[in-house]
């Protein structure tokens, strides 16, 4: 067939037609497995190359900030659970610390230690989901199942502690709602022991897998300047090579008593701030969380789990305060304005995923569609806290 | 730098636009609304301040607050013995406000800016060209509180539907009776107190296998 004359159909034209593709608008979401929730990304593409990304939010909006005006200070704790439903303990922690800072109430030692253990266990559980689903986005099914297996063990501990498997409502202003059960310390230590072994297993399964590195290294690079400008925090900021962590740099609760490292991206497989760096930061943070938990279990005293001098109906003195804590996704901030009454005047939530997702508008253009999926996966967003 | 030193610096550079020093839980300066972009530029670009990150930007409806910061949380003064709300008569005349919380990674210090604008002319210049993260926070403040940010590149609703009426975080917000043909039962919590007798438990179906 090689000698057959091919007619293109444009021979009658003076100029050969330039091959030109048109911009195509694709909806990624609202129902799409790679958007990690009910998020719609309007993607304009030129062939495989992304020209612009516009996120559309609000599918999970529940007006939690308006509801706060009708609840008393304690009642609103249950809504913080529903922000980041993969890390409710961290959300509870942020709100409890924010209100306690304004009340200037002393939280009993035992409650402080239980809180730290819960928050760090929750951080591991949340990172397990982040890693598992990120692997799933990259086509690795198996690690997800292993991650869920370990997360299940953590949820079992939380279930014995609080009665809930997903939304705990466990922290309270001035302490925690229930005391730890008798063999809590043993169960947590066993969990940590298992977890430390499993991290090695994940590394062999996923971290240094050739295909996984090819898909994530040098992809979706977010540098430190962009992180500052777009307000990115947590593993996204640390992945960009900035060892910043509220637990160490703006200490709250009793985090100044523990020894732990802040892992940050160093560009081991490519550029600093690529998807692999954000992934490995989460992986190493799990080991550091295990370290913190071991120290916290060692130091946990007996005593009250709830501040005895706090009245049932909390009244916060008038004033305004922005308090931030480190959740598994980044900096969760509560800007609280009180008017001296028993209800919040204004509770504004600055959620980490909100700012972390915003950066996709900046880094998205110019990458391949498949890399966009990788980048969104590596940001580890939860739509519950974006839409609130 | 210490907060009051930052305030002195702002006063020196901005003159009368730096209105007053806030020394509460939060340390900060109240800035005249028209000059907020200049103040933000100073905070970001002055080498000894260098606030490269905007942590939080929130819109506030100060309605019901008097000068001492005392007031009622909602448009309700209190409740009668039957649990019926007693409505405040001074709802809908307070100022709106914007709060900016900044953090410097280089120096490790924090500072806040406050802006108050009258309710009927709620316009604040944008700071999204300085801190791009403000773009979404300002859209949120526009959406929920109804503050217009002049110079914003893309000011539209972010969490609510484009055609939604009103701004829910205003204290005098009235929930629409229906949305696109769907009736909304906008009743306040206090008007519907929990009553155990109202709870209907599911019953076991007769003759079924459940």
């Amino acid at each position: 067939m090689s000698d057959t004359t091919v007619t293109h159909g444009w021979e009658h034209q003076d100029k050969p037609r330039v091959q030109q593709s048109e911009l195509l608008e694709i909806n990624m979401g609202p129902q799409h497995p790679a958007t990690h929730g009910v998020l719609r990304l309007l993607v304009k593409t030129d062939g495989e190359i992304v020209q612009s990304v516009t996120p559309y939010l609000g599918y999970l909006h529940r007006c939690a900030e308006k509801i706060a005006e009708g609840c008393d200070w304690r009642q609103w704790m249950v809504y913080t659970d529903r922000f980041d439903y993969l890390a409710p303990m961290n959300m509870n922690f942020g709100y409890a610390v924010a209100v306690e800072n304004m009340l200037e109430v002393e939280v009993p030692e035992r409650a402080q230690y239980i809180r730290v253990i819960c928050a760090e266990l929750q951080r591991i559980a949340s990172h397990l989901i982040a890693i598992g689903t990120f692997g799933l986005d990259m086509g690795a099914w198996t690690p997800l199942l292993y991650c869920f297996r370990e997360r299940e063990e953590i949820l079992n501990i939380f279930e014995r502690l609080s009665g809930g498997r997903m939304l705990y409502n466990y922290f309270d202003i001035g302490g925690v709602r229930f005391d730890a059960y008798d063999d809590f310390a043993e169960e947590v230590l066993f969990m940590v022991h298992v977890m430390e072994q499993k991290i090695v297993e994940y590394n062999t399964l996923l971290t240094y897998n050739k295909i996984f590195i090819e898909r994530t290294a040098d992809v979706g690079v977010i540098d430190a300047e962009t992180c500052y400008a777009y307000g990115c925090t947590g593993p996204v900021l640390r992945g960009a090579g900035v060892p910043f962590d509220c637990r160490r740099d703006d200490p709250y609760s009793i985090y100044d008593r523990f020894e732990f490292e802040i892992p940050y991206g160093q560009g081991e497989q490519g550029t600093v701030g690529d998807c692999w760096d954000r992934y490995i930061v989460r992986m190493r943070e799990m080991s550091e969380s295990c370290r913190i938990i071991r120290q916290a279990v060692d130091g946990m005293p007996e005593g009250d789990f709830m501040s005895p001098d706090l009245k049932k109906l909390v009244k916060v003195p008038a004033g305004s305060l922005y308090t931030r804590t480190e959740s598994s996704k980044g900096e969760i901030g509560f800007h609280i304005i009180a008017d001296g009454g028993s209800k919040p005047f204004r509770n504004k939530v600055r959620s980490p995923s909100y700012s972390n997702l915003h950066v996709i508008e900046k880094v998205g253009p110019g990458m391949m569609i498949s890399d966009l999926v990788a980048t969104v996966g590596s940001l580890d967003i939860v739509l519950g806290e974006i839409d609130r | 730098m210490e907060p009051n030193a930052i305030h002195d610096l702002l006063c020196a550079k901005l003159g009368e636009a730096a209105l007053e020093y806030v020394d509460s839980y939060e340390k900060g300066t109240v800035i005249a609304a028209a000059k907020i972009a200049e103040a933000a530029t100073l905070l970001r670009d002055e080498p000894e301040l260098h606030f490269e990150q905007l942590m939080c930007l929130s819109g506030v409806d100060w309605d019901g607050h008097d000068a001492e910061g005392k007031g009622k949380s909602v448009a309700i003064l209190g409740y009668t013995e039957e649990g019926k709300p007693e409505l405040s008569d001074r709802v809908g005349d307070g100022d709106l406000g914007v709060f900016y919380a900044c953090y410097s990674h280089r120096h490790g210090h924090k500072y806040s800016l406050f802006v108050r604008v009258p309710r009927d002319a709620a316009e604040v210049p944008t700071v999204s060209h300085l801190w791009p993260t403000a773009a979404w926070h300002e859209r949120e403040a526009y959406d929920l509180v109804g503050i217009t940010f002049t110079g914003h590149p893309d000011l539209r609703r972010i969490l609510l539907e484009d055609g939604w009426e009103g701004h829910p975080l205003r204290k005098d917000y009235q929930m629409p009776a229906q949305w696109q043909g769907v009736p909304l039962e906008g009743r306040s919590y206090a008007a519907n107190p929990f009553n155990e007798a109202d709870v209907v438990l599911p019953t076991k179906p007769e003759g079924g296998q459940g």
Side-chain angles (χ1 to χ4, degrees):
Chain A
M1 298 288 282
S2 58
D3 50 35
T4 314
T5 318
V6 181
T7 50
H8 296 283
W10 63 67
E11 282 79 1
H12 63 282
Q13 291 177 343
D14 297 334
K15 285 183 285 185
R17 200 160 67 179
V18 181
Q19 190 174 9
Q20 195 179 26
S21 56
E22 59 182 306
L23 282 184
L24 191 65
E25 282 190 3
I26 309 175
N27 269 320
M28 196 170 141
Q31 299 295 336
H32 189 276
T35 54
H36 295 265
V38 206
L39 162 72
R40 176 175 158 224
L41 296 175
L42 183 66
V43 186
K44 282 188 185 156
T45 62
D46 180 5
E48 270 288 288
I49 309 292
V50 173
Q51 293 283 339
S52 76
V53 189
T54 318
Y56 285 83
L57 317 174
Y59 291 90
L60 270 181
H61 184 53
R62 291 145 293 172
C63 246
E65 292 170 9
K66 185 69 180 176
I67 293 173
E69 293 173 7
C71 300
D72 75 34
W73 291 97
R74 281 207 160 113
Q75 280 174 332
W76 200 60
M77 184 68 83
V78 73
Y79 292 95
T80 64
D81 276 327
R82 279 134 182 95
F83 293 151
D84 184 351
Y85 41 75
L86 297 178
M89 290 284 190
N90 296 126
M91 299 289 122
N92 283 184
F93 205 173
Y95 180 57
V97 169
V99 178
E100 282 154 13
N101 279 353
M102 294 183 82
L103 280 173
E104 288 166 357
V105 63
E106 191 132 339
V107 180
E109 283 288 290
R110 184 173 171 80
Q112 296 274 30
Y113 278 88
I114 295 176
R115 279 179 174 192
V116 167
I117 294 169
C118 289
E120 294 309 314
L121 279 176
Q122 184 72 83
R123 194 181 309 278
I124 296 175
S126 169
H127 281 350
L128 281 172
I129 299 245
I131 287 162
T133 51
F134 185 43
L136 190 63
D137 287 346
M138 302 296 94
W141 237 111
T142 321
L144 177 80
L145 304 174
Y146 287 101
C147 288
F148 266 79
R149 181 186 64 189
E150 268 70 71
R151 177 172 177 264
E152 195 66 18
E153 297 301 318
I154 296 176
L155 296 197
N156 284 341
I157 294 178
F158 286 162
E159 189 180 9
R160 285 192 72 184
L161 203 57
S162 69
R165 284 186 63 78
M166 190 163 175
L167 303 161
Y168 312 110
N169 192 19
Y170 179 56
F171 288 27
D172 199 349
I173 293 158
V176 291
R177 276 184 213 277
F178 315 104
D179 199 1
Y181 52 89
D182 288 341
D183 52 345
F184 175 67
E186 288 78 39
E187 267 196 18
V188 169
L189 281 180
F190 179 70
M191 176 62 222
V192 169
H193 174 73
V194 171
M195 197 60 222
E196 278 166 347
Q197 327 261 315
K198 297 297 177 190
I199 290 171
V200 181
E201 197 178 304
Y202 300 144
N203 280 338
T204 53
L205 256 179
L206 190 62
T207 310
Y208 298 104
N209 181 310
K210 178 84 173 121
I211 304 169
F212 181 70
I213 291 174
E214 291 287 323
R215 283 295 309 274
T216 56
D218 288 324
V219 166
V221 177
I222 304 174
D223 59 17
E225 285 305 313
T226 313
C227 282
Y228 293 147
Y230 280 83
C232 299
T233 46
V236 180
L237 178 63
R238 290 193 282 278
V242 183
F244 177 82
D245 192 315
C246 291
R247 287 175 293 169
R248 189 193 63 186
D249 297 298
D250 193 3
Y252 56 95
S253 188
I254 50 165
Y255 275 107
D256 46 357
R257 298 184 196 170
F258 304 119
E259 257 180 46
F260 59 101
E261 303 287 320
I262 311 286
Y264 58 96
Q266 290 154 321
E268 285 155 70
Q269 305 293 340
T271 324
V272 177
D274 58 9
C275 291
W276 196 85
D277 271 353
R278 290 192 280 282
Y279 164 84
I280 199 68
V281 162
R282 294 199 178 93
M283 208 61 157
R284 291 179 182 150
E285 265 179 36
M286 292 204 291
S287 311
E288 295 304 321
S289 289
C290 289
R291 260 178 85 185
I292 297 176
I293 294 170
R294 278 185 190 284
Q295 296 170 47
V297 170
D298 279 348
M300 191 163 83
E302 293 293 319
D304 285 336
F305 59 93
M306 186 69 207
S307 179
D309 44 274
L310 204 61
K311 288 192 189 127
K312 203 157 187 168
L313 186 68
V314 176
K315 286 196 175 177
V316 176
S320 142
L321 182 64
Y322 175 77
T323 310
R324 56 180 182 172
T325 55
E326 189 78 22
S327 92
S328 57
K329 312 286 188 294
E331 172 186 321
I332 172 85
F334 286 90
H335 176 221
I336 290 180
I337 301 178
D339 58 2
S342 58
K343 292 175 177 176
F345 184 78
R346 171 89 167 92
N347 279 4
K348 149 92 182 175
V349 186
R350 178 255 190 248
S351 61
S353 296
Y354 192 75
S355 301
N356 288 356
L357 175 66
H358 189 188
V359 81
I360 200 75
E361 280 186 356
K362 166 93 164 113
V363 299
M367 59 172 60
M368 311 278 277
I369 294 177
S370 57
D371 291 348
L372 182 69
V373 173
T375 310
V376 172
S378 74
L379 293 176
D380 184 25
I381 50 169
V382 163
L383 269 296
E385 62 171 7
I386 292 177
D387 293 341
R388 301 185 296 273
Chain B
M1 258 173 109
E2 290 302 307
N4 41 15
I6 297 176
H7 176 69
D8 292 342
L9 194 103
L10 283 174
C11 283
K13 298 265 183 183
L14 293 171
E16 287 184 354
L19 297 176
E20 58 177 309
Y21 180 55
V22 178
D23 186 10
S24 169
Y25 294 106
E26 201 83 60
K27 315 283 183 232
T29 305
V30 183
I31 304 281
K35 291 281 178 191
I36 184 66
E38 281 89 335
T41 313
L42 257 171
L43 284 193
R44 193 191 65 160
D45 294 342
E46 198 72 21
E48 48 191 357
L49 300 177
H50 205 267
F51 288 98
E52 67 267 68
Q53 192 174 356
L54 180 73
M55 293 190 292
C56 182
L57 184 156
S58 37
V60 187
D61 182 359
W62 286 105
D63 190 34
H65 253 234
D66 58 20
E68 282 103 50
K70 292 270 165 88
K72 286 292 169 189
S73 301
V74 281
I76 294 168
L77 277 174
Y79 302 104
T80 58
E81 280 177 8
E82 295 92 53
K84 293 213 171 107
E86 194 185 322
L87 292 176
S88 159
D89 54 348
R90 59 178 301 276
V91 159
D93 56 2
D95 288 348
L96 302 181
V98 188
F99 163 83
Y100 306 79
C102 315
Y103 178 70
S104 165
H105 280 271
R106 182 185 290 176
H107 302 297
H109 53 207
K110 294 183 199 168
Y111 202 65
S112 312
L113 297 179
F114 301 85
V115 163
R116 274 179 96 118
V117 282
R119 202 180 193 78
D120 46 358
E123 288 195 354
V124 179
T126 182
V127 294
S128 59
H129 56 289
L130 301 165
W131 295 296
T133 183
W136 276 22
H137 285 283
E138 284 177 352
R139 276 177 69 187
E140 191 188 318
Y142 165 74
D143 187 359
L144 301 180
V145 191
I147 298 165
T148 309
F149 292 90
T150 51
H152 190 288
D154 184 23
L155 193 68
R156 52 195 169 86
R157 289 184 182 270
I158 188 164
L159 293 175
L160 299 177
E161 192 77 18
D162 285 338
W164 194 265
E165 282 170 28
H167 305 282
L169 283 179
R170 287 200 177 187
K171 302 289 180 192
D172 57 344
Y173 174 70
Q174 297 271 319
M175 197 161 162
Q178 54 118 17
W179 169 246
Q180 293 182 343
V182 181
L184 302 173
E185 293 185 49
R187 294 177 298 183
S188 79
Y189 177 78
N192 297 279
F194 174 73
N195 186 359
E196 215 165 311
D198 294 345
V199 179
V200 183
L201 291 171
T203 49
K204 198 174 173 184
E206 277 176 39
Q209 294 185 347

